[in-house]
Amino acid sequence: MPVPLLIVESPTKARTLSGFLGNRYHVMASVGHVRDLPNNASEVPEAIKGEEWGSMAVDVDHDFQPHYVISSDRKGTIRDMKTALKDASEVLLATDPDREGESISWHLLELLKPKVPVRRIVFHEITEEAVLGAIEHSRELDRNLVDAQESRRILDRLFGYKVSPVLWKWIAPKLSAGRVQSVAVRLVVEREEERKAFRRAGFWNLEAKLSGDGREFTATLVRADGKRVAIGKDFDAATGKPGNADVTVLDGASSAALAETLRGSIPWEVTGVEEKPLTQHPAPPFTTSTLQQEANRKLGFSADKTMSAAQKLFDSGVISYHRTDSTTLSDKALQESGRTIRGMYGDEYYGGARRYQTKVKNAQEAHEAIRPTDFSLAPEKTGSRFHGDEARVYELIWKRAVASQMADAKLLRTTVEITAAGAGGAPCVFTASGKVILFPGYLRAYVEGSDDPAADLGDRETLLPACRKGDRVSRPGDDAALSLLDLTPKSHETTPPPRYTDASLVKRLEDDGIGRPSTYASIIKTILERGYVWRQGKALVPTFTALVLTVFLKEHFRTLVELDFTGRIEEKLDLISNGALERLAFLREFYFGDEQDWPGLKTMVEKGRDRRGDYPSYPLGEDPATGQPVVLKVGRFGPYVQRGAGGKDNTASLAAGVAPADFGLEEALALLTTKGAGPRIVGVDPKTGMTVYGMDGRFGPYVQLGETPEKGKKGTKTPKPRRASLPKGESIESVTRETALRLLSLPREIGLHPDDGAPVESNFGRFGPYVKHGDDFRSLESGEQVFAIPLDEAVELLRQPKRGRKRTFGAAKSAPLKELGTNPAGAAIRLFDGRYGPYISDGAINATVPKGVTLESITLERALEWLAEKEAKGPSKRPAKRPRVRKGKKKA
């Protein structure tokens, strides 16, 4: 008997639906997109290969007609669906409830050409009730949504395929541009430029350690000599000087003198006590954007990793649709969450349903917020249904959704003002703040993360002793309400604006209406994979290629990378989806321009391609010795520095992993000087008589045996000299002949494995020293083991299960490479060599030395800066090691 054919996108979703629909429906999965524009030249149909627009597969001269091809790995899927269609009573298109899902349904309809009735069904959670309700309230395919998605696809194809060749011509091959991608890169580059222009400022204040009622607390000096004491925000980022004349700037000497004066002015007096009740409201349930931001802050997940986990949770039927701008919850969800809150926390924690208004620029597809499909399924009750990333993301979603419906938190904030007499009797005012949670409310379930660690600490209670205005502050042992235990000058430095993280970049893109939240994960992944950005911890750092690219795009395609350009595009796509704008008019205006001030993409590309002048560069400054400009450029082999017109001794390649904010004119000139001096002669190999050189390359310092031969004739291979990268902690200047020859002898064959007779080798790799047998690797404890470990120990190590490398509690650190000095508190600041490279330590906090920084250039000031940045970020949270799983197919 014929049954309805129900088509979804994901195989996991198909299995979930089959579980409760049974044999009443035949459920199949399209596995994402089944048809799209060609991905490469081999996929372009023969019929259009000779056309000027053939590579794009969009006929710009005939109403922007797209030429689609069936994905090679979907041909079997389409064939199976056509077979299933023969026994179907009707077709139910149940692809995802957004424009992309609508488009996939349209492509399926075009390919399958069913002769039975076709209905479009939409559901936002995979439950039997939701799916049967969707079937009952089916509709026709929405052609406006399809047009909006197709317009987006064509526009992005035109942008990428027209602008990218201009980049190949003027900058370097294989570069690419994208409507949202290029704007995201611009944001990251401009933040790096802000950091580069930043001028650090030092300032001091006083901290008083006090006690009362057996409780210690800290008060900070806020006013001296009738003026407010300067804090970080009072300094100009561009000059490092105070931007406000009405503040007192303390230095080390003046703060120490003031502290001495104030110690002698005891007793002090409590001159103010203010208690202020506060009400904290819960945050709304997650949207796509806020889920990505919070998972990055709390879990350290990239946007792509978060969306991958959320997709699996949705397909499994435990959360609602995860691509949404909405913060609203359905009446059913509101009722279920209320019951869960009352049952788990008590009636006082539920004050009635909360309804949130969406505040996202260009919000569309007003679905529900991301929430659990069953509020009674608390994270601790999920058992083995899912684990790893999915379990952690589900816990975030469940807690946030539940907390969004809970009662407000009630707090009491107390501020105590203490006044002491300074020089000449001038009042010096200290303040201390405390916070008491009177009623936790939603905090019982969830505390929102923050990009600001100081704000995160504010969620903890800080209790102050009871005191009244007029109470005295005296020395310990005196009869006073409060006792002064210590008064310490504290040194501070302003910090540059933080680099973007996944969380802060997603927030910036959403705030400016750039792109769609559902695409942010793929955008960040793209700019990382294409080498425009790299990660330094959580921070997104632009490459030098990104700097040159952004300068070029801002000069020749400024409108396309303006922050509001893509926002205007999104608004017009919204109009198309609502039927208020015709698709063809939109595409014609974008490509050919209008009669006002928009020239159109076609004209902009022609002007950019036919520009005159030198190849694009990024200015670094002027060589004071020669007056020649020093710039960054990008060539076939990557970024390099050039002085003047270039040529011998005036160009030098840049090593990977150097942050642009840490590389300026001084570093560029030093690099050119090193290059001009030629490679360092380390010594002579006694076996071959060949010279051993120390050199710098694109991937860092290395040693080389013998000269680099000249290139042979075309078609012949030029033999390369033997080379070996220097391990972390070793530099060209410090490497000895003995060390260089040992490195050049690697890999070391330790012996033959007794199980199969294959060689066991040792060497240095990206993550440090190792032994290997075939494709099986194990880390070694030290670099010396590379040259000394015997075969039996290597075999025993290889037979052990792989495990994370952990330091035994209480184990001594290796001897420091360098003593840098002490911090203001007197703690020794030392430089160590660790498994993952050199790092700075003050005994309590460790901070990794940034890539590209030579050990010789590290000063106490730079070390204190890195330690302060690490302290501000808080401790690293390393998730438990989980078994690797093969990722399923994801939508583009």
Side-chain angles (χ1 to χ4, degrees), residues 535-806:
R535 292 191 189 277
Q536 190 178 80
K538 283 187 181 181
L540 298 172
V541 185
T543 60
F544 293 107
T545 299
L547 265 67
V548 176
L549 173 72
T550 300
V551 166
F552 182 79
L553 289 176
K554 287 169 71 173
E555 180 181 352
H556 297 285
F557 298 93
R558 173 169 288 278
T559 303
L560 298 183
V561 291
E562 290 291 349
L563 302 188
D564 61 347
F565 169 75
T566 186
R568 295 197 302 271
I569 293 294
E570 295 298 339
E571 290 172 357
K572 292 183 178 181
L573 290 171
D574 288 345
L575 292 175
I576 295 173
S577 69
N578 296 328
L581 178 63
E582 201 269 323
R583 160 191 171 278
L584 190 54
F586 165 73
L587 290 172
R588 280 175 176 162
E589 178 183 312
F590 171 75
Y591 189 69
F592 293 112
D594 56 28
E595 296 178 357
Q596 300 173 8
D597 56 351
W598 169 242
L601 179 69
K602 184 174 185 288
T603 300
M604 294 178 76
V605 167
E606 289 170 352
K607 288 183 177 179
R609 184 185 59 220
D610 299 335
R611 68 183 284 273
R612 295 182 181 276
D614 197 7
Y615 286 96
S617 61
Y618 185 89
L620 291 174
E622 190 176 275
D623 184 347
T626 66
Q628 294 177 304
V630 180
V631 298
L632 284 169
K633 287 191 171 186
V634 177
R636 286 185 61 197
F637 302 106
Y640 63 95
V641 175
Q642 177 177 303
R643 176 170 47 203
K648 182 175 173 56
D649 299 337
N650 285 303
T651 61
S653 295
L654 283 161
V658 178
D662 301 328
F663 188 89
L665 178 62
E666 184 180 339
E667 289 78 11
L669 292 174
L671 188 64
L672 289 167
T673 299
T674 302
K675 174 75 180 298
R680 177 194 166 215
I681 298 177
V682 179
V684 176
D685 177 13
K687 291 183 180 179
T688 64
M690 299 172 74
T691 303
V692 178
Y693 297 99
M695 310 173 80
D696 254 319
R698 289 177 60 202
F699 304 104
Y702 63 94
V703 288
Q704 175 176 304
L705 183 62
E707 303 279 350
T708 302
E710 293 184 5
K711 290 185 178 180
K713 293 182 180 180
K714 191 174 182 180
T716 62
K717 286 188 177 181
T718 304
K720 292 184 178 180
R722 192 167 187 80
R723 292 170 177 167
S725 295
L726 296 185
K728 291 180 179 178
E730 194 75 67
S731 68
I732 293 174
E733 294 74 19
S734 65
V735 68
T736 63
R737 186 189 72 160
E738 290 70 25
T739 299
L741 291 174
R742 292 176 86 191
L743 292 170
L744 288 165
S745 70
L746 297 174
R748 170 186 168 230
E749 183 172 318
I750 304 170
L752 302 180
H753 200 287
D755 291 350
D756 58 6
V760 176
E761 297 177 341
S762 61
N763 204 342
F764 289 95
R766 181 183 175 190
F767 300 108
Y770 66 85
V771 292
K772 68 171 288 234
H773 168 233
D775 294 328
D776 194 17
F777 291 77
R778 293 293 184 278
S779 294
L780 294 171
E781 292 292 331
S782 69
E784 189 57 37
Q785 283 186 290
V786 170
F787 305 100
I789 188 170
L791 179 63
D792 57 343
E793 288 185 21
V795 170
E796 177 60 29
L797 180 60
L798 287 162
R799 284 175 173 163
Q800 294 175 10
K802 289 185 178 181
R803 60 184 184 274
R805 189 109 165 237
K806 298 180 180 178

Side-chain angles (χ1 to χ4, degrees), residues 391-412:
R392 301 178 76 192
V393 171
Y394 179 78
E395 182 178 15
L396 269 187
I397 292 169
W398 185 92
K399 288 183 173 181
R400 176 76 166 241
V402 168
S404 75
Q405 297 303 308
M406 292 177 70
D408 295 334
K410 303 294 183 182
L411 304 95
L412 182 67

